[in-house]
């Protein structure tokens, strides 16, 4: 049994109709997904803009508030460190002098006890 051109054309048209019926919902879903993707993309762009603005504000805050305060703290710490460093050297000398004075006083105390 041989199919005629008309038969093949009819089969082709039936397949086209069936294929179109199957593809149409898929196309519709794809269009809906494209719309959703576009909406999400727009939201992400808005969020990106907000984040960039916040980052800019944070950088300004760091530059104008935090860094000057840190510089002040560092300057105070450095000057305090220098003062303490000098004091420690003096403290060591005082400690040595105190030890010598203790020995001398003890010797004098012993001598005075013997004289008394």
């Amino acid at each position: 049994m041989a199919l005629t051109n008309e038969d093949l054309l009819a089969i082709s048209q039936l397949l086209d109709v069936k294929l179109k019926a199957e593809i149409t919902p898929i196309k519709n879903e794809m269009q809906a997904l494209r719309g959703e993707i576009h909406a999400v993309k727009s939201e992400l762009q808005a969020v990106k803009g907000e984040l960039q603005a916040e980052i800019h504000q944070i950088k300004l805050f760091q530059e104008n508030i935090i860094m000057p305060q840190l510089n002040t703290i560092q300057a105070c710490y450095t000057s305090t460190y220098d003062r303490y460093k000098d004091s420690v050297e003096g403290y060591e000398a005082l400690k040595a002098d105190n030890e010598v004075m203790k020995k001398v006083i003890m010797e004098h105390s012993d001598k005075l006890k013997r004289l008394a």
Side-chain angles (χ1 to χ4, degrees):
M1 157 176 203
L3 295 174
T4 65
N5 282 343
E6 291 174 358
D7 291 337
L8 291 174
L9 185 59
I11 291 171
S12 174
Q13 287 175 348
L14 285 173
L15 287 175
D16 284 346
V17 168
K18 185 168 182 162
L19 186 60
K20 199 174 208 179
E22 295 288 327
I23 289 178
T24 300
I26 293 172
K27 278 185 176 181
N28 293 340
E29 285 183 40
M30 286 180 66
Q31 276 187 317
L33 284 173
R34 280 189 187 123
E36 289 178 23
I37 288 171
H38 182 69
V40 168
K41 191 175 180 180
S42 296
E43 288 177 25
L44 287 175
Q45 288 294 336
V47 169
K48 180 181 175 185
E50 290 172 10
L51 288 175
Q52 286 175 334
E54 285 188 39
I55 289 170
H56 182 71
Q57 291 295 325
I58 290 169
K59 286 181 178 180
L60 286 175
F61 184 77
Q62 286 177 335
E63 182 179 340
N64 296 325
I65 305 296
I66 294 174
M67 291 309 295
Q69 290 179 357
L70 282 176
N71 290 336
T72 302
I73 291 168
Q74 180 185 13
C76 289
Y77 176 80
T78 304
S79 67
T80 302
Y81 169 77
D82 290 337
R83 279 195 322 270
Y84 284 145
K85 184 179 82 169
D86 295 340
S87 295
V88 166
E89 292 170 2
Y91 173 76
E92 292 298 325
L94 285 173
K95 189 175 173 184
D97 289 346
N98 191 31
E99 289 299 319
V100 170
M101 286 174 54
K102 279 184 190 177
K103 287 180 184 177
V104 170
I105 291 171
M106 296 277 284
E107 288 175 13
H108 287 174
S109 178
D110 287 341
K111 286 180 183 178
L112 285 174
K113 281 182 185 176
R114 279 189 240 144
L115 289 175

